Amino acid sequence: KAGVTQTPRYLIKTRGQQVTLSCSPISGHRSVSWYQQTPGQGLQFLFEYFSETQRNKGNFPGRFSGRQFSNSRSEMNVSTLELGDSALYLCASSSREGQGYLSADTQYFGPGTRLTVL
Amino acid sequence: DAKTTQPPSMDCAEGRAANLPCNHSTISGNEYVYWYRQIHSQGPQYIIHGLKNNETNEMASLIITEDRKSSTLILPHATLRDTAVYYCIVRVAKIQGAQKLVFGQGTRLTINP
């Protein structure tokens, strides 16, 4: 069964630009969460979407935004990039119901998108 | 959110059992203990979770103390591929089903040949 996929896997941008990252959840999963991982701050929760609605939000500035489509795919956008936005951006999906070897209400992560801001 | 405390690093010989401890003394009655691992900047991999009872799956075993204030993840026969950072997470109590994991610094487990 396909896992969570994220595109692109690597991205290089310059300060001031904006970027859009994409996440396709496991088939049947309706919740998608986003996390940022940096060496200094570790893994931090950005936001979570469920049925196209943002249900939970972490402590990040408004430059970080996201959305979810009717097929549960999600995108996150970072505007006016700063050097400190260089990070591994991770997406995770979950479902209230278990599916085979996948546990209910458990987040499964994708491989991440490595963003470098120059 | 209940906080967890893990040793920053541990070593284990290949083929031996790796026992990773985690303290979560402020855990609430409805909060689960989850374990994930992250191998060299890949996405975190789910390992196992539990509420009160001990749990076992094909990857590991999870032992939770009776008072639920601590737990131990056991990798029964560690291999070099088990070298990773292991995160013990107490799941934020469900608020309208919202999902959020609060990661600490984890334990860097090194399996030595």
Side-chain angles (χ1 to χ4, degrees), chain B:
Chain B
D1 302 351
K3 296 189 176 177
T4 62
T5 304
Q6 299 178 253
S9 64
M10 292 182 63
D11 285 273
C12 180
E14 188 178 18
R16 306 297 292 269
N19 296 279
L20 292 91
C22 179
N23 286 320
H24 32 79
S25 58
T26 59
I27 192 170
S28 300
N30 62 347
E31 291 181 314
Y32 289 77
V33 179
Y34 276 76
W35 283 84
Y36 284 80
R37 72 181 182 184
Q38 189 173 27
I39 299 172
H40 192 52
S41 293
Q42 297 176 20
Q45 177 187 24
Y46 164 75
I47 301 173
I48 198 168
H49 73 281
L51 182 64
K52 286 190 279 193
N53 301 321
N54 298 336
E55 302 287 345
T56 295
N57 62 20
E58 66 281 357
M59 289 182 67
S61 295
L62 174 61
I63 308 297
I64 302 174
T65 58
E66 193 169 340
D67 62 9
R68 304 212 320 127
K69 292 185 177 181
S70 65
S71 61
T72 300
L73 178 74
I74 301 172
L75 307 178
H77 304 287
T79 71
L80 298 179
R81 287 178 295 180
D82 292 323
T83 292
V85 178
Y86 287 76
Y87 296 98
C88 168
I89 299 165
V90 172
R91 241 277 294 279
V92 175
K94 292 182 185 181
I95 302 173
Q96 298 179 345
Q99 297 280 344
K100 174 183 175 182
L101 296 176
V102 179
F103 286 82
Q105 295 305 306
T107 295
R108 184 172 297 278
L109 175 67
T110 302
I111 306 300
N112 300 307

Side-chain angles (χ1 to χ4, degrees), chain A residues 5-54:
Chain A
T5 58
Q6 294 187 244
T7 56
R9 294 293 312 279
Y10 301 92
L11 203 51
I12 299 176
K13 293 285 187 178
T14 56
R15 279 183 300 174
Q17 288 187 309
Q18 74 165 13
V19 66
T20 299
L21 311 181
S22 180
C23 171
S24 292
I26 292 171
S27 177
H29 284 195
R30 295 168 62 191
S31 168
V32 174
S33 300
W34 288 89
Y35 294 81
Q36 180 198 64
Q37 185 173 29
T38 61
Q41 299 299 318
L43 267 154
Q44 292 187 291
F45 173 78
L46 278 158
F47 31 64
E48 184 226 355
Y49 285 86
F50 179 82
S51 291
E52 302 178 65
T53 301
Q54 188 180 87

Side-chain angles (χ1 to χ4, degrees), chain A residues 66-83:
Chain A
R67 60 177 175 168
Q68 187 179 34
F69 302 94
S70 59
N71 62 357
S72 295
R73 190 177 69 85
S74 178
E75 291 180 346
M76 69 161 283
N77 184 275
V78 187
S79 63
T80 319
L81 284 166
E82 301 176 0
L83 295 179

